[in-house]
Amino acid sequence: MTTVVKKGSLIENCLAVLGRSIDLIGIHGPTVDEVTKDIDLTDKTCLITGANSGIGLEMTKCLSSRNCNVLMACRNPYAANIVAKNVCGSSERLKLYEINLASLRSVKKCSNEILKDQPKIDIVILNAAVFGLPWTLTEDSLETTFQVNYLSQYVLLMNIEKILAPNARVVLVSSESHRHVSWDFNHQLSPTQAMVSLPKHEYTSIRAYNISKLCGIHFMHYLSYRWLNSGKSVFCAHPGSFVKTRLCRNWWPYELLYTTMKPFSKSISQAASTPIYCATSPDLDGLSDAYYKDCKRCEESDLAQDLHLSFRIYDLTKAIVRNRIAASEDVSRVKESVTFPDQTKHSIDENTLVANYTG
Ligand SMILES: NC(=O)c1ccc[n+]([C@@H]2O[C@H](COP(=O)([O-])OP(=O)(O)OC[C@H]3O[C@@H](n4cnc5c(N)ncnc54)[C@H](OP(=O)(O)O)[C@@H]3O)[C@@H](O)[C@H]2O)c1
């Protein structure tokens, strides 16, 4: 018996849509489960920042399902605990650490706790980020996007460097938007704090975000030089564009744009696949210092490839951190523990909370 499909019929249209969807799935690449299907991470430990939401949560779920111990460094441990239990199940493999990346005091406290608890870390995924904020300064007097997306995660990694496994892998979750930064020659020769931690009159949220991601790629270049001839490696991974997570929540036009783009962009699981590929794939053994997109190596922007600039940004970062660490040590002598208001605790039920964090 033959099935006749009339031109323009419903079935034909459905098949066309299905075909296009299959194409889109192809373009959008594999999911995290597909890229890790043959991988067993028993006895490995991975630290992930921003592990409670969106792409970070998807990576946490995937890694714990591959028997990896996951250290979830999150701003709101109460919410993170509920979300992790709902999404990943109650697992002894998950451990929560409280960190507020807008505070160097909090970063130090979290690093000390990790150093106290953990003998070694095999994988670090620096994933946390903010986007679309109005201009604000942190308690360390730095522009918030710059500090959260780059500087504090640099400090966290440097603080725990001594417990990284000899063959540790570090992945910085990056973005194609780093390509939109343009600095003239003089600025490239001597970068200043105002170029990375933008003052109010030069601030747009997208500019601050792009700069923070560019700094992350330069940090990768610096680290790969620092770890030359060691077994450690470092990669940057672009997850995908317009992936509908909570990243766009800070400004309604972004929320609208990401919602509109959702049918055409990667799913969260597809977005998590490139960072997870960089963090776990044996294909990358022996490699380091590379930028990945769609699970494939790709060239970062010319500005991001400039190694001289990487060292200048590193020197600048060190100088910015040095004064503030000294200042924060003075303060922490007075105030021993950092506490964060737990706004989620009484205002939202468990199901809504989980739905929010999983996009
Ligand atoms: N979504 C995209 O289209 C896209 C595109 C390119 C690159 N990326 C990158 O992918 C990564 C993951 O983003 P996502 O889309 O999954 O966004 P998301 O759902 O908003 O996740 C961001 C994570 O960062 C955490 N975070 C923000 N501020 C923090 C702070 N001060 N201290 C500690 N943690 C903080 C958030 O914690 P809270 O839950 O407490 O806020 C959250 O866990 C980011 O690096 C982002 O730049 C995303």
Side-chain angles (χ1 to χ4, degrees):
M1 200 173 141
T2 52
T3 311
V4 181
V5 180
K6 280 192 197 150
K7 212 170 166 37
S9 74
L10 184 66
I11 297 175
E12 193 184 35
N13 285 338
C14 288
L15 288 176
V17 170
L18 193 67
R20 277 202 298 275
S21 308
I22 289 166
D23 274 359
L24 273 178
I25 291 165
I27 291 166
H28 288 155
T31 63
V32 267
D33 291 331
E34 286 161 359
V35 296
T36 53
K37 72 176 182 324
D38 298 323
I39 289 176
D40 179 27
L41 297 168
T42 305
D43 297 332
K44 301 277 184 200
T45 300
C46 173
L47 170 68
I48 308 186
T49 59
N52 59 295
S53 176
I55 297 166
L57 180 61
E58 189 68 30
M59 294 193 284
T60 300
K61 185 174 130 198
C62 169
L63 290 170
S64 66
S65 75
R66 305 290 177 215
N67 304 321
C68 187
N69 300 312
V70 184
L71 314 179
M72 304 172 67
C74 302
R75 173 161 51 172
N76 182 336
Y78 169 78
N81 188 30
I82 292 179
V83 173
K85 267 200 197 132
N86 272 276
V87 173
C88 313
S90 306
S91 168
E92 285 174 1
R93 284 193 279 274
L94 303 181
K95 185 160 172 52
L96 273 161
Y97 288 91
E98 181 169 326
I99 192 166
N100 179 1
L101 293 162
S103 158
L104 287 174
R105 258 187 311 141
S106 171
V107 173
K108 185 168 182 216
K109 186 164 176 273
C110 176
S111 318
N112 287 345
E113 279 166 18
I114 294 172
L115 289 173
K116 192 166 64 131
D117 293 351
Q118 303 296 331
K120 77 155 170 92
I121 296 182
D122 304 274
I123 304 168
V124 179
I125 306 182
L126 299 177
N127 161 76
V130 282
F131 174 56
L133 291 179
W135 184 83
T136 47
L137 284 183
T138 64
E139 66 180 40
D140 302 298
S141 303
L142 292 166
E143 189 281 308
T144 305
T145 310
F146 167 70
Q147 178 165 351
V148 169
N149 295 10
Y150 164 67
L151 187 112
S152 286
Q153 304 199 65
Y154 154 91
V155 174
L156 175 66
L157 186 68
M158 292 290 90
N159 286 351
I160 60 159
E161 188 186 17
K162 59 178 129 186
I163 57 163
L164 293 183
N167 60 347
R169 273 203 203 168
V170 173
V171 179
L172 294 98
V173 181
S174 189
S175 172
E176 279 291 272
S177 69
H178 79 273
R179 299 186 190 281
H180 303 301
V181 181
S182 55
W183 285 333
D184 65 30
F185 186 64
N186 287 338
H187 283 99
Q188 290 176 41
L189 270 187
S190 48
T192 60
Q193 182 176 318
M195 283 165 59
V196 289
S197 172
L198 295 174
K200 192 171 184 179
H201 64 277
E202 289 186 18
Y203 181 83
T204 63
S205 60
I206 195 146
R207 193 161 171 227
Y209 180 81
N210 298 347
I211 289 171
S212 72
K213 293 298 178 184
L214 176 70
C215 288
I217 301 177
H218 283 298
F219 185 33
M220 168 183 78
H221 294 317
Y222 167 74
L223 282 176
S224 74
Y225 170 79
R226 184 181 174 101
W227 293 338
L228 206 66
N229 301 327
S230 80
K232 298 189 188 70
S233 52
V234 53
F235 301 97
C236 279
H238 166 69
S241 300
F242 302 113
V243 181
K244 180 70 178 69
T245 62
R246 289 166 62 251
L247 193 68
C248 57
R249 72 185 181 272
N250 293 311
W251 196 37
W252 71 263
Y254 287 143
E255 185 86 51
L256 181 66
L257 176 66
Y258 277 62
T259 306
T260 312
M261 292 301 289
K262 191 172 173 179
F264 312 104
S265 44
K266 289 190 184 204
S267 67
I268 296 181
S269 179
Q270 288 168 328
S273 66
T274 300
I276 282 290
Y277 173 76
C278 291
T280 62
S281 173
D283 299 353
L284 275 61
D285 284 348
L287 301 176
S288 185
D289 198 16
Y291 179 88
Y292 278 75
K293 179 182 152 184
D294 297 327
C295 298
K296 291 194 191 75
R297 188 167 182 175
C298 132
E299 292 215 330
E300 60 274 26
S301 71
D302 289 349
L303 197 59
Q305 285 180 39
D306 180 346
L307 288 187
H308 296 290
L309 185 57
S310 304
F311 285 100
R312 290 185 203 118
I313 300 263
Y314 171 70
D315 287 342
L316 174 66
T317 306
K318 243 181 20 180
I320 293 173
V321 171
R322 200 181 302 121
N323 301 331
R324 285 166 176 83
I325 292 276
S328 75
E329 275 168 0
D330 285 347
V331 179
S332 58
R333 258 179 236 128
V334 182
K335 188 177 174 183
E336 268 188 0
S337 69
V338 191
T339 51
F340 305 107
D342 194 349
Q343 291 154 344
T344 320
K345 205 163 190 166
H346 305 293
S347 59
I348 195 162
D349 75 84
E350 213 168 282
N351 290 340
T352 318
L353 187 73
V354 175
N356 279 349
Y357 282 82
T358 50

